């Protein structure tokens, strides 16, 4: 990942801050959205997610803002004397985050993440008492513990005094904007991930506001990604003179940024990502009137929709199986998998080790393996697990592909590309070639590109050229076998979950 040298770079310079649930990173881009010496000019800080057996998954409220300060300090220290001015700051964050603040913007709650499942019963209550099809059509989201309606209901139910004391319910992005700019606006992109946005009006949903006893002003004002804001607070201007006149853009969702950075900015490309979890996303040519049931409709910005589905499973299933089955080294497993016939083991798995998101959105789902016999070997179970994740992606692709151009491509990224056998399984399940997108910094590149577009430097309508690797062509015979396996998985799902 060499990038370009600082001497080759042309202003304006963009500072991109990528905030995930394990680390915060800062990188530098130039006017052509080329990354500048990422091995030299970077900042990186780990953040510790707090979890326990109850389903808690939170951060200390000031942990992430501190990490942002640390990475900016680190990067600017390395640039001292070499760059006089950074022109813009663009941020992406993990989404469906929530923090409760008092009237002086001091935290009253931890920073909740999408992974906190303590509101599962509240999600189930809302599903029973509201027409989920109507909710899905209005908000572009299913009812689930990862979204804010269930989380706010849980907070109100389990901590009523604290709930009543909160003056502001904000996302991480709004909290950061208040810290650095004195502005609490939330981007359309981040708002679309909450489950509280009317996706057609781009306003907070009044039905949820009433149900959750939310008052006007408790949620932040909704604005678009740009134009950037030049009002960095005076204390930060003194600390960061290189950023004194920089435009700061409202934080957007990391998934939206990844789509842009990987070149999936129109209906000709579907993004497939498998890290710890997995997702498929597309930027369709128009905002769909009806969203395929089970998928979501988020936003890149006010004019660009983002439609897709995310799984709770992905690389986490691969890792769990490797460790639990005490299999040989991954390289040896690869050799075995490449020799095995598709779904010949007779097993069917629901790979819900962490509950289910798309397309069924069942918080109470758990992993299930059916069909074990005396001749079943650990490598069979391993293959069945990887196929099971691929089949869940097949469910999403079946719903997503009608929104894509007939000649669309699937551009794939993530750690799963280290397993050619798994990549081939996914291509066989989808019945469509998948091409490896090996752009090393797709997410930070995406927010840098959007900032440059807003500044009039780049045109997002012009197809980007991310770095691509090999293409996995589907085997037609294997695809037919996997269609039968998909039916078997659906049948198991219906028997156990309805």
């Amino acid at each position: 990942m060499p990038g370009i040298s600082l001497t080759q770079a042309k202003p304006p310079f963009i500072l991109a801050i990528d905030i995930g649930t394990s680390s915060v990173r800062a990188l530098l881009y130039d006017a052509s959205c080329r990354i500048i010496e990422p091995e030299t000019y970077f900042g990186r800080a780990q953040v510790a997610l707090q979890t326990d057996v109850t389903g808690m998954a939170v951060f200390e409220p000031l942990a992430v803002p501190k990490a942002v300060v640390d990475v900016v300090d680190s990067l600017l220290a390395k640039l001292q004397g070499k760059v006089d001015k950074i022109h813009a700051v663009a941020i992406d964050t993990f989404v469906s985050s929530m923090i409760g603040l008092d009237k002086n913007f001091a935290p009253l709650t931890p920073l909740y993440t999408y992974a906190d499942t303590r509101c599962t019963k509240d999600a189930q209550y809302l599903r029973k008492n509201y027409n989920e099809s109507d909710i899905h059509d209005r908000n572009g989201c299913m009812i689930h513990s990862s979204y804010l309606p269930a989380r706010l209901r849980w907070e109100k139910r389990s901590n009523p005094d604290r709930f009543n004391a909160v003056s502001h319910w904000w996302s991480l992005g709004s909290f950061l904007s208040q810290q650095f700019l004195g502005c609490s606006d939330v981007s359309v992109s981040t708002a679309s991930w909450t489950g509280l946005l009317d996706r057609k009006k781009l306003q907070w949903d009044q039905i949820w506001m009433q149900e959750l006893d939310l008052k006007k002003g408790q949620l932040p004002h909704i604005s678009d990604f740009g134009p950037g804001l030049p009002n960095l607070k005076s204390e930060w201007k003194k600390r960061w003179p290189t950023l004194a006149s920089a435009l700061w853009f409202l934080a957007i969702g990391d998934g939206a940024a990844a789509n842009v950075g990987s070149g999936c900015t129109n209906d000709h490309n579907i993004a497939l990502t498998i890290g710890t979890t997995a997702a498929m996303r597309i930027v369709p040519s128009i905002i769909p009137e009806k969203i395929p049931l089970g998928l979501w409709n988020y936003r890149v910005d006010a004019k660009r929709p983002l439609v897709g589905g995310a799984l709770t499973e992905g690389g986490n299933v691969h890792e769990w199986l490797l460790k639990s089955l005490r299999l040989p080294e991954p390289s040896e497993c690869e050799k075995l998998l490449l020799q095995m016939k598709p779904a010949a083991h007779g097993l069917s798995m629901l790979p819900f080790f962490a509950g289910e998101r798309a397309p069924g959105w069942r918080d109470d789902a758990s992993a299930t393996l059916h069909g074990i016999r005396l001749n079943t070997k650990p490598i069979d179970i391993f293959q069945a697990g990887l196929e099971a994740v691929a089949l869940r992606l097949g469910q999403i692709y079946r719903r997503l592909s009608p929104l894509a151009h007939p000649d669309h491509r699937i551009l794939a990224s993530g750690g799963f590309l280290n397993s050619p056998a798994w990549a081939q399984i996914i291509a066989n399940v989808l019945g469509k070639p998948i091409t490896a997108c090996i752009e090393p910094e797709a997410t930070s590149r995406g927010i840098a590109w959007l900032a440059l577009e807003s500044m009039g430097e780049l045109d997002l309508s012009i197809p980007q050229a991310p770095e691509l690797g090999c293409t996995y062509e589907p085997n037609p015979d294997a695809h037919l076998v996997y269609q039968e396996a998909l039916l078997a998985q659906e049948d198991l799902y219906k028997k156990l979950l309805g």
Side-chain angles (χ1 to χ4, degrees):
M1 191 174 58
I4 62 167
S5 69
L6 188 57
T7 55
Q8 293 175 303
K10 298 178 180 179
F13 298 121
I14 310 297
L15 172 61
I17 303 174
D18 175 21
I19 303 175
T21 53
S22 60
S23 68
V24 178
R25 299 178 315 124
L27 296 156
L28 195 64
Y29 287 82
D30 83 337
S32 298
C33 208
R34 299 175 297 180
I35 194 167
I36 301 171
E37 297 184 54
E39 301 300 332
T40 302
Y41 301 113
F42 71 94
R44 183 179 293 113
Q46 300 299 121
V47 286
L49 187 65
Q50 298 182 344
T51 61
D52 67 14
V53 295
T54 69
M56 179 182 74
V58 302
F59 288 105
E60 287 291 331
L62 299 179
V64 177
K66 180 183 182 303
V68 172
V69 172
D70 289 344
V71 300
V72 174
D73 280 347
S74 176
L75 177 58
L76 295 184
K78 294 167 184 174
L79 285 171
Q80 191 169 12
K82 299 174 183 177
V83 170
D84 295 328
K85 177 181 179 181
I86 290 177
H87 300 76
V89 179
I91 303 172
D92 75 85
T93 73
F94 59 87
V95 274
S96 297
S97 60
M98 185 184 82
I99 187 169
L101 309 172
D102 68 15
K103 62 182 179 180
N104 297 315
F105 312 115
L108 295 177
T109 74
L111 174 62
Y112 294 105
T113 74
Y114 62 88
D116 193 307
T117 59
R118 289 175 291 177
C119 58
T120 294
K121 290 184 179 179
D122 301 273
Q124 292 170 348
Y125 169 87
L126 294 175
R127 292 182 89 163
K128 290 179 181 177
N129 287 275
Y130 282 84
N131 184 314
E132 191 164 28
S133 179
D134 290 344
I135 297 295
H136 182 244
D137 182 59
R138 198 169 69 245
N139 304 138
C141 301
M142 306 292 281
I143 297 174
H144 191 258
S145 64
S146 58
Y147 296 122
L148 267 56
R151 192 166 318 289
L152 284 163
R153 187 180 187 276
W154 173 81
E155 180 73 25
K156 178 183 175 183
R157 177 174 60 83
S158 59
N159 299 286
D161 292 340
R162 186 169 72 181
F163 181 88
N164 291 327
V166 168
S167 296
H168 308 282
W169 293 108
W170 284 356
S171 69
L172 170 58
S174 293
F175 190 40
L176 293 174
S177 292
Q178 177 62 40
Q179 297 270 307
F180 298 124
L181 308 174
C183 164
S184 59
D185 285 14
V186 66
S187 70
V188 172
S189 174
T190 297
S192 69
W193 252 277
T194 63
L196 290 172
L197 183 73
D198 186 314
R199 71 182 183 93
K200 296 176 181 177
K201 297 178 181 178
L202 298 186
Q203 300 172 355
W204 295 120
D205 188 300
Q206 293 303 308
I207 294 176
W208 278 134
M209 295 281 286
Q210 182 176 355
E211 164 66 27
L212 300 168
D213 288 336
L214 294 174
K215 302 178 183 63
K216 186 178 180 180
Q218 283 190 292
L219 298 178
H221 180 261
I222 299 169
S223 297
D224 207 355
F225 171 78
L229 304 171
N231 49 326
L232 185 64
K233 288 182 177 179
S234 59
E235 61 263 37
W236 297 111
K237 287 183 179 181
K238 292 177 183 177
R239 183 171 182 147
W240 299 326
T242 314
L243 300 178
S245 60
L247 298 174
W248 286 67
F249 290 87
L250 296 179
I252 70 167
D254 51 3
N259 256 60
V260 173
S262 61
C264 296
T265 58
N266 55 42
D267 62 0
H268 285 70
N269 292 320
I270 294 177
L272 163 63
T273 306
I274 304 183
T276 301
T277 59
M280 295 188 80
R281 305 176 296 261
I282 188 174
V283 178
S285 57
I286 59 171
I287 298 170
E289 183 64 28
K290 294 287 290 185
I291 307 300
L293 194 62
L295 302 187
W296 33 248
N297 175 198
Y298 303 147
R299 292 294 184 112
V300 176
D301 52 26
K303 63 180 180 288
R304 283 180 285 243
L306 185 70
V307 179
L311 309 179
T312 57
E313 54 274 2
N316 53 1
V317 174
H318 185 279
E319 183 179 0
W320 188 92
L321 291 169
L322 274 178
K323 290 181 178 179
S324 301
L325 297 173
R326 299 180 181 178
L327 290 163
E329 289 296 315
S331 59
E332 187 62 30
C333 289
E334 276 291 301
K335 294 177 184 177
L336 294 172
L337 286 173
L338 290 169
Q339 297 169 9
M340 297 172 74
K341 295 181 179 180
H345 41 63
L347 302 171
S348 187
M349 178 186 282
L350 300 179
F352 305 141
F353 289 84
E356 184 202 11
R357 282 194 279 176
W361 299 93
R362 291 290 297 268
D363 292 286
D364 57 337
S366 58
T368 301
L369 179 64
H370 176 71
I372 297 177
R373 299 185 182 277
L374 288 173
N375 65 337
T376 301
K377 299 183 289 295
I379 192 65
D380 295 327
I381 299 174
F382 184 59
Q383 181 189 17
L386 301 187
E387 290 173 336
V389 175
L391 293 171
R392 302 311 295 171
L393 289 169
Q395 293 266 16
I396 295 175
Y397 181 63
R398 187 168 63 188
R399 293 162 168 79
L400 196 60
S401 56
L403 299 177
H405 188 275
D407 296 327
H408 67 272
R409 297 186 301 173
I410 299 175
L411 301 184
S413 61
F416 86 106
L417 294 172
N418 294 322
S419 172
W422 197 9
Q424 186 61 56
I425 287 170
I426 295 171
N428 290 341
V429 168
L430 302 183
K432 183 80 175 177
I434 62 173
T435 299
C437 176
I438 53 178
E439 180 64 44
E441 292 290 346
T443 305
S444 61
R445 181 176 186 254
I447 50 174
W449 193 290
L450 287 167
L452 289 163
E453 179 196 43
S454 182
M455 296 164 69
E457 298 289 334
L458 294 174
D459 186 351
L460 200 57
S461 66
I462 298 173
Q464 301 176 55
E467 190 175 354
L468 300 180
C470 65
T471 295
Y472 297 88
E473 296 287 345
N475 180 300
D477 293 333
H479 179 64
L480 291 176
V481 172
Y482 282 131
Q483 295 312 292
E484 293 296 321
L486 182 57
L487 292 174
Q489 189 187 67
E490 289 177 339
D491 184 59
L492 181 62
Y493 184 101
K494 290 174 183 176
K495 287 176 179 176
L496 295 177
L497 296 170

